[in-house]
Amino acid sequence: MSNTTSVAFGSGVLIATPSGANASPVQFGAVQDVTLDISFSTKQLFGQYQFPIALARGEGKITGKAKFANIDGPLFNACFFGQSLNAGQKLWAYNEAGAVPSSSPYTYATANAANFDGDLGVVYAASGLALTKVSSAPAVGQYSVSAGVYTFSSGDAGKAVLVSYSYTQTSGGSRALIVNKAMGTAPTFQIDFYQTNPNIAGAQWSLRLFNCVSNKLSIASKTQDFVVPELDFEAIANAANSIGEINTAV
């Protein structure tokens, strides 16, 4: 393949291999685009003429930006937060349809009462008007809640309500508590990026950066579009004073 001009197509494949406790490689799923910038500062020497007669490189920088459509908790944690990752997750039930019974007790047990986490409000289904939360003995337009069971006033008997709350799930997902770490603390990870030539089987080019740190994670939602998180990273030297390696088909 040494005499073949190689081209690349598509967004490529991006894999991060974290260091430390979260050391399992993680793929950036549904990659949309990857940008890699390699730059140096320069110092110019001038004489009596307009253009420099010598130029020397100064500080170097390799930065990257990846956009990917997967909402990936383990990847966020391993490359950006660097926290302890636990199994299970919190889920949100938004506007769960319920009704105040027509007779006592005037209570509504949520569908996930056994794993209830926290109340996120109640509104009347007919009007969207919010009810007020009280600690006990609710009056009309009020409610109280305990362990996923909502109590209403007899004056609201028979009314349809929409209940929002959070609950826990232990059988799937992941959860990382974001704690306030000391200044200077950041997880590091290796980046592997490669693309292929669609016209030549087996032809590819790749870049491996041995030691990277992320300084920005952006997550933006839109009314009529998919969420595409964006992770920025910068390469630094590893213990062997190496930055990375580039491999090409030519």
Side-chain angles (χ1 to χ4, degrees):
M1 227 180 293
S2 60
N3 295 320
T4 303
T5 300
S6 183
V7 298
F9 183 80
S11 58
V13 175
L14 193 66
I15 301 172
T17 304
S19 58
N22 303 311
S24 297
V26 287
Q27 294 189 18
F28 288 69
V31 174
Q32 303 300 296
D33 59 73
V34 177
T35 302
L36 296 167
D37 291 309
I38 306 173
S39 62
F40 290 90
S41 65
T42 57
K43 188 66 177 179
Q44 297 138 336
L45 177 65
F46 290 88
Q48 65 269 41
Y49 299 105
Q50 293 180 346
F51 292 95
I53 58 175
L55 187 146
R57 276 185 175 179
E59 297 173 342
K61 180 188 292 188
I62 300 178
T63 60
K65 184 189 301 286
K67 294 181 180 180
F68 51 103
N70 274 13
I71 310 297
D72 192 329
L75 188 150
F76 291 169
N77 185 63
C79 295
F80 193 77
F81 295 108
Q83 309 286 348
S84 296
L85 193 67
N86 302 302
Q89 67 177 128
K90 281 197 173 92
L91 298 174
W92 272 250
Y94 174 67
N95 282 352
E96 180 177 292
V100 181
S102 56
S103 59
S104 181
Y106 303 102
T107 59
Y108 170 72
T110 59
N112 300 284
N115 299 305
F116 186 80
D117 174 68
D119 169 51
L120 297 173
V122 180
V123 301
Y124 289 115
S127 65
L129 185 66
L131 284 75
T132 301
K133 183 179 180 180
V134 296
S135 58
S136 61
V140 174
Q142 298 179 336
Y143 70 95
S144 62
V145 59
S146 177
V149 178
Y150 287 74
T151 300
F152 300 89
S153 165
S154 59
D156 283 322
K159 292 183 179 178
V161 292
L162 300 175
V163 182
S164 297
Y165 60 94
S166 59
Y167 62 98
T168 58
Q169 171 184 279
T170 58
S171 59
S174 61
R175 177 175 178 267
L177 181 65
I178 302 173
V179 300
N180 195 11
K181 291 190 173 184
M183 285 281 191
T185 304
T188 59
F189 52 93
Q190 175 180 289
I191 278 290
D192 281 270
F193 174 67
Y194 83 87
Q195 290 178 297
T196 60
N197 184 334
N199 302 311
I200 303 175
Q204 62 176 244
W205 85 276
S206 65
L207 176 68
R208 171 174 288 175
L209 299 174
F210 298 135
N211 204 21
C212 297
V213 175
S214 176
N215 63 349
K216 185 178 180 182
L217 173 64
S218 301
I219 304 172
S221 64
K222 298 179 182 178
T223 302
Q224 297 187 48
D225 207 349
F226 292 98
V227 173
V228 180
E230 183 176 307
L231 185 81
D232 294 8
F233 55 89
E234 184 169 346
I236 58 177
N238 64 8
N241 201 30
S242 297
I243 304 298
E245 63 182 14
I246 185 167
N247 299 276
T248 64
V250 294

